Amino acid sequence: MSYSYTVNHIKHLESEAIYILREIAAQFQNPVILFSGGKDSIVVTYLAQKAFWPAKLPFPLLHIDTGHNFSETIDFRDQMVERLGAQLIVGSVQNSIENGRVLEEKGSNASRNVLQTVTLLDTIEEHKFDAAIGGARRDEEKARAKERIFSHRDEFGQWDPKNQRPELWNIFNGLKKVGEHFRVFPLSNWTEMDIWQYIEKEKLSLPSIYFSHEREVVRRNGVLLAVTKYISLKNKEKTERKRIRFRTVGDATCTGAIESEAKDVYAIIREIAAARITERGTRADDKRSDTAMEDRKREGYF
C-alpha cells in the first residue's frame, strides 16, 4: 500500500468523522462524548476539537468509572481534561452498587464490566443526554459490525439491531421520541490500523499502558491479565513478569494484555500488521459467550 494512498485514506476518514460530529451538534440538544481514556475515545475527542476549532470543545466528557481502572488511564484522563478545559462527568459503578441499582459479582472471575450498563443509562437519564458519542468501530467485534453510525436507543436505552434507520450516502436521521436517545459512532468506518496511523500522523499522546512495559501478569483462559488488587488468584495459578502492552483499555479485571516489545507508535503499527487476532480477542468479558457483546449492547451497553 503506497504512502500517498494511506495519507488520502486517513484524510477521508478524518473528514467523515468531522462531518458526523458537526451533524451531532446540529441535530441534538445535549450530546456527550463517552470517554474511557482509551485510544479511540482520545481520537474522537481530538476530532471534536478539530471540528469546532477555534471554539472550545462543545461536548462534555462522560467516563463510566468501574472503580477497577488502571491508574495510568485515570492519570491520563485527568491531565487531558485539565489541558482541554473540558467538563468531565463521572458515573460511578461503585455508587450504583451502594444504591442497590446493581449487584456486584462474586468469585475469581468477577468483573464490574457488565455493571457499567446500568450506571451509563442512569447517568444519561440524570443529565438528559440525547446523544452519546462513542469510539466504537465496526472492525472490533461482530456485534459492532451491525451498528449504524447513528444508533437509535429506545426509552429503556435498549438497542434493536433489526430496527435501525437506513443511512444512505451521508444522510443521518436523528429523529427520536421523548426519553429516547442515540449512540453515535464517528469512527465506525475506521480500523485499528487506521487509528494508529492517525495517532502517528497527528502525534497524539496516549496512556503509557499502550506501549511495551514490564508487569506482573497471570494467564487465565488464554488471556494475560495484569495482577492488580482487583484480581483474585485461583488455586495453582502462578504469576509471572512479562513485557506486555494493552491493545484496548477497560476494566482491569477483564482487559487482557499481549506480549510485546513495541515501545512506540511505529513499532505498534508493524505489530498490528502482522497480528492474527483482533484487539478484542484479548478481552475476557467477550469470551463469556459467543454473543456476549451483542447481549450487552441490546441492554444498553456502549
Side-chain angles (χ1 to χ4, degrees):
M1 185 179 295
S2 70
Y3 176 76
S4 61
Y5 173 85
T6 300
V7 170
N8 289 335
H9 174 65
I10 295 298
K11 284 183 177 179
H12 171 77
L13 291 173
E14 178 189 64
S15 177
E16 178 189 57
I18 286 175
Y19 171 79
I20 292 167
L21 287 160
R22 290 172 177 166
E23 277 291 297
I24 295 168
Q27 294 197 38
F28 299 100
Q29 295 183 336
N30 192 23
V32 68
I33 293 176
L34 299 174
F35 188 82
S36 66
K39 65 184 185 306
D40 300 309
S41 61
I42 290 169
V43 168
V44 168
T45 304
Y46 176 76
L47 287 165
Q49 283 183 277
K50 268 199 165 186
F52 301 98
W53 182 265
K56 289 185 64 175
L57 186 71
F59 313 123
L61 306 181
L62 171 59
H63 179 215
I64 301 302
D65 180 6
T66 66
H68 292 170
N69 302 289
F70 293 102
S71 59
E72 297 95 330
T73 306
I74 297 300
D75 291 343
F76 184 92
R77 179 201 71 181
D78 294 342
Q79 292 166 10
M80 183 172 177
V81 167
E82 182 177 1
R83 185 175 71 253
L84 295 178
Q87 178 189 2
L88 174 65
I89 298 166
V90 178
S92 170
V93 172
Q94 182 62 43
N95 288 345
S96 296
I97 293 170
E98 292 173 358
N99 294 332
R101 293 286 294 142
V102 292
L103 184 64
E104 185 155 26
E105 295 181 0
K106 303 297 182 183
S108 57
N109 291 322
S111 172
R112 289 184 173 183
N113 196 57
V114 175
L115 308 187
Q116 293 181 90
T117 299
V118 170
T119 306
L120 172 62
L121 294 177
D122 286 349
T123 308
I124 288 173
E125 173 62 25
E126 177 186 353
H127 294 273
K128 306 301 180 188
F129 294 127
D130 55 357
I133 307 163
R137 309 183 321 271
R138 290 183 178 132
D139 75 317
E140 288 182 84
E141 203 272 345
K142 56 183 179 293
R144 298 284 198 203
K146 299 180 180 180
E147 193 100 55
R148 295 285 196 268
I149 293 175
F150 273 41
S151 183
H152 175 261
R153 296 299 193 273
D154 66 19
E155 64 271 28
F156 301 106
Q158 297 174 323
W159 171 68
D160 182 357
K162 296 180 180 178
N163 184 27
Q164 299 185 84
R165 283 83 184 273
E167 291 181 345
L168 307 175
W169 302 285
N170 288 325
I171 300 173
F172 301 107
N173 182 356
L175 184 65
K176 61 179 181 55
K177 299 176 182 177
V178 175
E180 299 176 343
H181 73 277
F182 275 79
R183 307 288 172 83
V184 187
F185 303 105
L187 306 182
S188 288
N189 293 325
W190 297 51
T191 66
E192 183 186 14
M193 179 66 82
D194 296 330
I195 291 292
W196 282 106
Q197 289 177 334
Y198 189 73
I199 288 168
E200 181 184 44
K201 173 179 175 291
E202 299 296 315
K203 304 295 188 289
L204 301 186
S205 297
L206 295 176
S208 60
I209 62 174
Y210 276 112
F211 304 96
S212 179
H213 60 285
E214 192 173 281
R215 189 184 289 260
E216 191 174 11
V217 296
V218 61
R219 190 177 297 276
R220 181 177 295 171
N221 299 324
V223 177
L224 283 178
L225 295 175
V227 177
T228 66
K229 61 183 179 181
Y230 314 120
I231 294 284
S232 298
L233 295 179
K234 298 179 180 180
N235 289 334
K236 298 184 179 180
E237 279 189 332
K238 295 182 179 180
T239 65
E240 51 189 329
R241 293 195 71 81
K242 288 185 174 291
R243 290 206 65 82
I244 62 159
R245 72 175 189 87
F246 293 88
R247 290 175 70 182
T248 178
V249 169
D251 190 293
T253 62
C254 60
T255 302
I258 61 169
E259 294 186 58
S260 173
E261 296 291 337
K263 297 180 180 180
D264 56 41
V265 174
Y266 180 68
I268 289 174
I269 289 173
R270 289 189 299 169
E271 185 179 82
I272 292 170
R276 292 296 178 266
I277 184 173
T278 66
E279 63 185 303
R280 288 200 70 94
T282 62
R283 292 292 294 260
D285 50 327
D286 288 353
K287 297 179 182 294
R288 292 191 172 194
S289 75
D290 289 340
T291 60
M293 172 63 81
E294 182 160 338
D295 292 342
R296 295 199 304 273
K297 284 179 61 61
R298 286 177 183 272
E299 295 170 358
Y301 188 71
F302 300 96

Short mmCIF file of all heavy atoms in Angstrom, two decimals, residues 60-103:
data_model
loop_
_atom_site.label_atom_id
_atom_site.label_comp_id
_atom_site.label_asym_id
_atom_site.label_seq_id
_atom_site.Cartn_x
_atom_site.Cartn_y
_atom_site.Cartn_z
N PRO A 60 -19.35 17.85 26.74
CA PRO A 60 -18.69 17.34 27.96
C PRO A 60 -18.20 15.92 27.73
O PRO A 60 -18.61 15.25 26.77
CB PRO A 60 -19.80 17.39 29.01
CG PRO A 60 -21.07 17.29 28.23
CD PRO A 60 -20.82 17.96 26.91
N LEU A 61 -17.32 15.45 28.60
CA LEU A 61 -16.82 14.08 28.55
C LEU A 61 -17.46 13.28 29.67
O LEU A 61 -17.54 13.75 30.80
CB LEU A 61 -15.30 14.06 28.71
CG LEU A 61 -14.48 14.93 27.75
CD1 LEU A 61 -12.99 14.78 28.04
CD2 LEU A 61 -14.79 14.60 26.30
N LEU A 62 -17.92 12.07 29.35
CA LEU A 62 -18.55 11.20 30.33
C LEU A 62 -17.74 9.93 30.49
O LEU A 62 -17.56 9.17 29.54
CB LEU A 62 -19.98 10.85 29.90
CG LEU A 62 -20.70 9.77 30.72
CD1 LEU A 62 -20.79 10.16 32.19
CD2 LEU A 62 -22.09 9.50 30.15
N HIS A 63 -17.23 9.71 31.69
CA HIS A 63 -16.49 8.48 31.99
C HIS A 63 -17.31 7.63 32.95
O HIS A 63 -17.69 8.10 34.03
CB HIS A 63 -15.14 8.81 32.63
CG HIS A 63 -14.35 7.58 32.97
ND1 HIS A 63 -13.54 7.51 34.08
CD2 HIS A 63 -14.25 6.36 32.36
CE1 HIS A 63 -12.97 6.32 34.14
NE2 HIS A 63 -13.39 5.61 33.12
N ILE A 64 -17.61 6.40 32.55
CA ILE A 64 -18.27 5.46 33.44
C ILE A 64 -17.17 4.70 34.18
O ILE A 64 -16.47 3.88 33.60
CB ILE A 64 -19.20 4.49 32.66
CG1 ILE A 64 -20.27 5.30 31.91
CG2 ILE A 64 -19.85 3.51 33.63
CD1 ILE A 64 -21.13 6.19 32.78
N ASP A 65 -17.04 4.99 35.46
CA ASP A 65 -15.93 4.52 36.28
C ASP A 65 -16.32 3.25 37.01
O ASP A 65 -17.17 3.26 37.89
CB ASP A 65 -15.57 5.63 37.27
CG ASP A 65 -14.41 5.25 38.17
OD1 ASP A 65 -13.81 4.19 37.96
OD2 ASP A 65 -14.12 6.04 39.10
N THR A 66 -15.67 2.13 36.64
CA THR A 66 -15.96 0.86 37.32
C THR A 66 -15.32 0.81 38.70
O THR A 66 -15.69 -0.03 39.52
CB THR A 66 -15.44 -0.34 36.51
OG1 THR A 66 -14.01 -0.29 36.47
CG2 THR A 66 -16.01 -0.33 35.09
N GLY A 67 -14.35 1.68 38.95
CA GLY A 67 -13.59 1.60 40.20
C GLY A 67 -12.45 0.61 40.11
O GLY A 67 -11.65 0.49 41.04
N HIS A 68 -12.37 -0.11 38.98
CA HIS A 68 -11.32 -1.10 38.76
C HIS A 68 -10.47 -0.67 37.56
O HIS A 68 -10.29 -1.42 36.60
CB HIS A 68 -11.92 -2.49 38.50
CG HIS A 68 -12.59 -3.07 39.70
ND1 HIS A 68 -13.36 -4.22 39.63
CD2 HIS A 68 -12.60 -2.70 41.01
CE1 HIS A 68 -13.83 -4.50 40.85
NE2 HIS A 68 -13.38 -3.59 41.69
N ASN A 69 -9.97 0.54 37.63
CA ASN A 69 -9.24 1.12 36.50
C ASN A 69 -7.74 0.93 36.63
O ASN A 69 -7.20 0.77 37.73
CB ASN A 69 -9.54 2.62 36.42
CG ASN A 69 -11.00 2.93 36.27
OD1 ASN A 69 -11.59 2.69 35.22
ND2 ASN A 69 -11.60 3.46 37.31
N PHE A 70 -7.06 1.00 35.50
CA PHE A 70 -5.61 1.12 35.51
C PHE A 70 -5.28 2.56 35.90
O PHE A 70 -5.83 3.51 35.32
CB PHE A 70 -5.03 0.80 34.14
CG PHE A 70 -5.18 -0.64 33.74
CD1 PHE A 70 -6.17 -1.04 32.84
CD2 PHE A 70 -4.34 -1.61 34.27
CE1 PHE A 70 -6.31 -2.36 32.46
CE2 PHE A 70 -4.48 -2.95 33.90
CZ PHE A 70 -5.47 -3.32 33.00
N SER A 71 -4.38 2.73 36.85
CA SER A 71 -4.06 4.08 37.34
C SER A 71 -3.52 4.96 36.22
O SER A 71 -3.77 6.17 36.19
CB SER A 71 -3.05 4.00 38.48
OG SER A 71 -1.85 3.36 38.06
N GLU A 72 -2.78 4.35 35.27
CA GLU A 72 -2.23 5.14 34.16
C GLU A 72 -3.33 5.80 33.34
O GLU A 72 -3.18 6.92 32.85
CB GLU A 72 -1.38 4.25 33.25
CG GLU A 72 -0.17 3.63 33.92
CD GLU A 72 -0.43 2.24 34.46
OE1 GLU A 72 -1.58 1.95 34.84
OE2 GLU A 72 0.52 1.44 34.50
N THR A 73 -4.47 5.09 33.20
CA THR A 73 -5.57 5.63 32.40
C THR A 73 -6.24 6.81 33.11
O THR A 73 -6.55 7.83 32.48
CB THR A 73 -6.61 4.52 32.13
OG1 THR A 73 -5.96 3.39 31.55
CG2 THR A 73 -7.71 5.01 31.21
N ILE A 74 -6.47 6.67 34.40
CA ILE A 74 -7.12 7.74 35.16
C ILE A 74 -6.22 8.97 35.21
O ILE A 74 -6.70 10.12 35.06
CB ILE A 74 -7.48 7.27 36.57
CG1 ILE A 74 -8.49 6.12 36.51
CG2 ILE A 74 -8.04 8.42 37.41
CD1 ILE A 74 -9.80 6.48 35.83
N ASP A 75 -4.93 8.77 35.42
CA ASP A 75 -4.00 9.91 35.43
C ASP A 75 -4.01 10.64 34.10
O ASP A 75 -4.05 11.88 34.05
CB ASP A 75 -2.58 9.43 35.75
CG ASP A 75 -2.43 8.93 37.18
OD1 ASP A 75 -3.31 9.25 38.00
OD2 ASP A 75 -1.44 8.22 37.46
N PHE A 76 -4.00 9.87 33.00
CA PHE A 76 -4.03 10.48 31.67
C PHE A 76 -5.35 11.23 31.46
O PHE A 76 -5.36 12.34 30.93
CB PHE A 76 -3.87 9.41 30.60
CG PHE A 76 -3.78 9.96 29.20
CD1 PHE A 76 -2.56 10.26 28.64
CD2 PHE A 76 -4.93 10.20 28.46
CE1 PHE A 76 -2.47 10.78 27.35
CE2 PHE A 76 -4.86 10.73 27.18
CZ PHE A 76 -3.63 11.02 26.62
N ARG A 77 -6.46 10.62 31.87
CA ARG A 77 -7.78 11.27 31.74
C ARG A 77 -7.78 12.62 32.41
O ARG A 77 -8.20 13.63 31.82
CB ARG A 77 -8.85 10.37 32.36
CG ARG A 77 -10.26 10.93 32.31
CD ARG A 77 -11.16 10.28 33.36
NE ARG A 77 -10.80 10.72 34.72
CZ ARG A 77 -11.41 10.28 35.82
NH1 ARG A 77 -12.37 9.38 35.73
NH2 ARG A 77 -11.05 10.73 36.99
N ASP A 78 -7.33 12.67 33.66
CA ASP A 78 -7.38 13.91 34.41
C ASP A 78 -6.47 14.98 33.81
O ASP A 78 -6.84 16.17 33.76
CB ASP A 78 -6.99 13.65 35.87
CG ASP A 78 -8.01 12.79 36.60
OD1 ASP A 78 -9.15 12.68 36.10
OD2 ASP A 78 -7.67 12.22 37.66
N GLN A 79 -5.30 14.57 33.33
CA GLN A 79 -4.38 15.53 32.70
C GLN A 79 -4.97 16.08 31.40
O GLN A 79 -4.86 17.27 31.11
CB GLN A 79 -3.04 14.85 32.42
CG GLN A 79 -2.26 14.49 33.69
CD GLN A 79 -1.12 13.54 33.42
OE1 GLN A 79 -0.77 13.27 32.25
NE2 GLN A 79 -0.52 12.99 34.48
N MET A 80 -5.63 15.20 30.64
CA MET A 80 -6.21 15.63 29.37
C MET A 80 -7.38 16.59 29.60
O MET A 80 -7.51 17.61 28.90
CB MET A 80 -6.67 14.41 28.57
CG MET A 80 -7.22 14.74 27.20
SD MET A 80 -7.53 13.26 26.21
CE MET A 80 -8.22 13.99 24.72
N VAL A 81 -8.23 16.28 30.57
CA VAL A 81 -9.37 17.15 30.89
C VAL A 81 -8.88 18.53 31.31
O VAL A 81 -9.42 19.57 30.88
CB VAL A 81 -10.24 16.51 31.99
CG1 VAL A 81 -11.22 17.53 32.56
CG2 VAL A 81 -10.98 15.31 31.44
N GLU A 82 -7.83 18.56 32.12
CA GLU A 82 -7.29 19.85 32.57
C GLU A 82 -6.71 20.63 31.40
O GLU A 82 -6.91 21.84 31.28
CB GLU A 82 -6.22 19.62 33.64
CG GLU A 82 -5.64 20.92 34.20
CD GLU A 82 -4.64 20.67 35.31
OE1 GLU A 82 -4.36 19.49 35.63
OE2 GLU A 82 -4.12 21.66 35.86
N ARG A 83 -5.99 19.94 30.51
CA ARG A 83 -5.37 20.60 29.36
C ARG A 83 -6.43 21.19 28.43
O ARG A 83 -6.25 22.29 27.88
CB ARG A 83 -4.49 19.60 28.61
CG ARG A 83 -3.72 20.22 27.45
CD ARG A 83 -2.77 19.23 26.82
NE ARG A 83 -3.44 18.20 26.05
CZ ARG A 83 -3.56 16.94 26.41
NH1 ARG A 83 -3.05 16.53 27.57
NH2 ARG A 83 -4.18 16.06 25.66
N LEU A 84 -7.52 20.46 28.23
CA LEU A 84 -8.58 20.91 27.33
C LEU A 84 -9.51 21.94 27.96
O LEU A 84 -10.22 22.65 27.25
CB LEU A 84 -9.42 19.72 26.86
CG LEU A 84 -8.74 18.65 26.01
CD1 LEU A 84 -9.71 17.53 25.71
CD2 LEU A 84 -8.21 19.26 24.73
N GLY A 85 -9.52 22.00 29.28
CA GLY A 85 -10.51 22.83 29.96
C GLY A 85 -11.91 22.28 29.75
O GLY A 85 -12.89 23.02 29.70
N ALA A 86 -12.01 20.95 29.63
CA ALA A 86 -13.28 20.29 29.34
C ALA A 86 -14.05 20.00 30.62
O ALA A 86 -13.48 19.94 31.71
CB ALA A 86 -13.05 19.00 28.56
N GLN A 87 -15.35 19.80 30.47
CA GLN A 87 -16.19 19.36 31.58
C GLN A 87 -16.17 17.84 31.64
O GLN A 87 -16.44 17.17 30.65
CB GLN A 87 -17.63 19.85 31.42
CG GLN A 87 -18.56 19.39 32.53
CD GLN A 87 -20.02 19.69 32.25
OE1 GLN A 87 -20.36 20.22 31.19
NE2 GLN A 87 -20.89 19.35 33.19
N LEU A 88 -15.82 17.28 32.80
CA LEU A 88 -15.81 15.83 32.98
C LEU A 88 -16.93 15.42 33.92
O LEU A 88 -17.05 15.95 35.03
CB LEU A 88 -14.46 15.38 33.57
CG LEU A 88 -14.36 13.89 33.94
CD1 LEU A 88 -14.45 13.02 32.69
CD2 LEU A 88 -13.08 13.61 34.71
N ILE A 89 -17.74 14.47 33.46
CA ILE A 89 -18.80 13.89 34.28
C ILE A 89 -18.44 12.43 34.51
O ILE A 89 -18.10 11.71 33.57
CB ILE A 89 -20.16 14.00 33.56
CG1 ILE A 89 -20.53 15.47 33.34
CG2 ILE A 89 -21.26 13.29 34.36
CD1 ILE A 89 -21.67 15.68 32.37
N VAL A 90 -18.48 12.00 35.76
CA VAL A 90 -18.12 10.62 36.09
C VAL A 90 -19.33 9.90 36.66
O VAL A 90 -19.94 10.34 37.63
CB VAL A 90 -16.96 10.59 37.12
CG1 VAL A 90 -16.62 9.14 37.49
CG2 VAL A 90 -15.72 11.28 36.56
N GLY A 91 -19.69 8.79 36.00
CA GLY A 91 -20.73 7.90 36.52
C GLY A 91 -20.06 6.76 37.26
O GLY A 91 -19.21 6.07 36.70
N SER A 92 -20.39 6.56 38.51
CA SER A 92 -19.68 5.60 39.36
C SER A 92 -20.45 4.29 39.50
O SER A 92 -21.58 4.26 40.02
CB SER A 92 -19.45 6.21 40.75
OG SER A 92 -18.99 5.25 41.66
N VAL A 93 -19.82 3.19 39.09
CA VAL A 93 -20.40 1.86 39.30
C VAL A 93 -20.47 1.55 40.79
O VAL A 93 -21.43 0.91 41.25
CB VAL A 93 -19.59 0.79 38.55
CG1 VAL A 93 -20.08 -0.62 38.91
CG2 VAL A 93 -19.68 0.99 37.04
N GLN A 94 -19.48 2.02 41.55
CA GLN A 94 -19.49 1.80 43.00
C GLN A 94 -20.74 2.41 43.62
O GLN A 94 -21.38 1.81 44.49
CB GLN A 94 -18.24 2.40 43.64
CG GLN A 94 -18.14 2.20 45.15
CD GLN A 94 -18.07 0.73 45.55
OE1 GLN A 94 -17.36 -0.05 44.92
NE2 GLN A 94 -18.80 0.35 46.58
N ASN A 95 -21.12 3.62 43.18
CA ASN A 95 -22.35 4.25 43.68
C ASN A 95 -23.58 3.44 43.30
O ASN A 95 -24.52 3.32 44.09
CB ASN A 95 -22.47 5.68 43.15
CG ASN A 95 -21.49 6.63 43.79
OD1 ASN A 95 -20.89 6.32 44.82
ND2 ASN A 95 -21.31 7.80 43.20
N SER A 96 -23.57 2.87 42.08
CA SER A 96 -24.70 2.04 41.65
C SER A 96 -24.84 0.81 42.54
O SER A 96 -25.95 0.39 42.88
CB SER A 96 -24.51 1.60 40.19
OG SER A 96 -24.52 2.70 39.32
N ILE A 97 -23.71 0.24 42.95
CA ILE A 97 -23.72 -0.92 43.85
C ILE A 97 -24.26 -0.51 45.22
O ILE A 97 -25.14 -1.18 45.79
CB ILE A 97 -22.30 -1.51 43.99
CG1 ILE A 97 -21.86 -2.11 42.65
CG2 ILE A 97 -22.27 -2.58 45.08
CD1 ILE A 97 -20.39 -2.50 42.60
N GLU A 98 -23.74 0.59 45.74
CA GLU A 98 -24.15 1.04 47.08
C GLU A 98 -25.62 1.45 47.12
O GLU A 98 -26.27 1.31 48.17
CB GLU A 98 -23.26 2.20 47.51
CG GLU A 98 -21.81 1.79 47.75
CD GLU A 98 -20.90 2.98 48.03
OE1 GLU A 98 -21.38 4.13 47.99
OE2 GLU A 98 -19.70 2.75 48.28
N ASN A 99 -26.14 1.94 46.01
CA ASN A 99 -27.54 2.36 45.95
C ASN A 99 -28.49 1.22 45.59
O ASN A 99 -29.69 1.44 45.42
CB ASN A 99 -27.70 3.51 44.95
CG ASN A 99 -26.99 4.77 45.39
OD1 ASN A 99 -26.83 5.03 46.58
ND2 ASN A 99 -26.55 5.59 44.44
N GLY A 100 -27.95 0.02 45.43
CA GLY A 100 -28.79 -1.13 45.14
C GLY A 100 -29.26 -1.22 43.71
O GLY A 100 -30.16 -2.01 43.39
N ARG A 101 -28.64 -0.46 42.81
CA ARG A 101 -29.05 -0.49 41.41
C ARG A 101 -28.50 -1.73 40.70
O ARG A 101 -29.09 -2.21 39.73
CB ARG A 101 -28.56 0.78 40.70
CG ARG A 101 -29.22 2.06 41.18
CD ARG A 101 -30.64 2.15 40.67
NE ARG A 101 -30.66 2.29 39.22
CZ ARG A 101 -31.54 1.73 38.41
NH1 ARG A 101 -32.47 0.93 38.91
NH2 ARG A 101 -31.49 1.94 37.10
N VAL A 102 -27.34 -2.22 41.15
CA VAL A 102 -26.74 -3.42 40.57
C VAL A 102 -26.18 -4.27 41.70
O VAL A 102 -25.93 -3.78 42.80
CB VAL A 102 -25.61 -3.08 39.56
CG1 VAL A 102 -26.17 -2.41 38.33
CG2 VAL A 102 -24.55 -2.21 40.22
N LEU A 103 -25.98 -5.55 41.40
CA LEU A 103 -25.43 -6.48 42.37
C LEU A 103 -24.03 -6.89 41.91
O LEU A 103 -23.86 -7.37 40.79
CB LEU A 103 -26.32 -7.72 42.49
CG LEU A 103 -25.92 -8.77 43.53
CD1 LEU A 103 -26.01 -8.18 44.95
CD2 LEU A 103 -26.82 -9.99 43.42
#
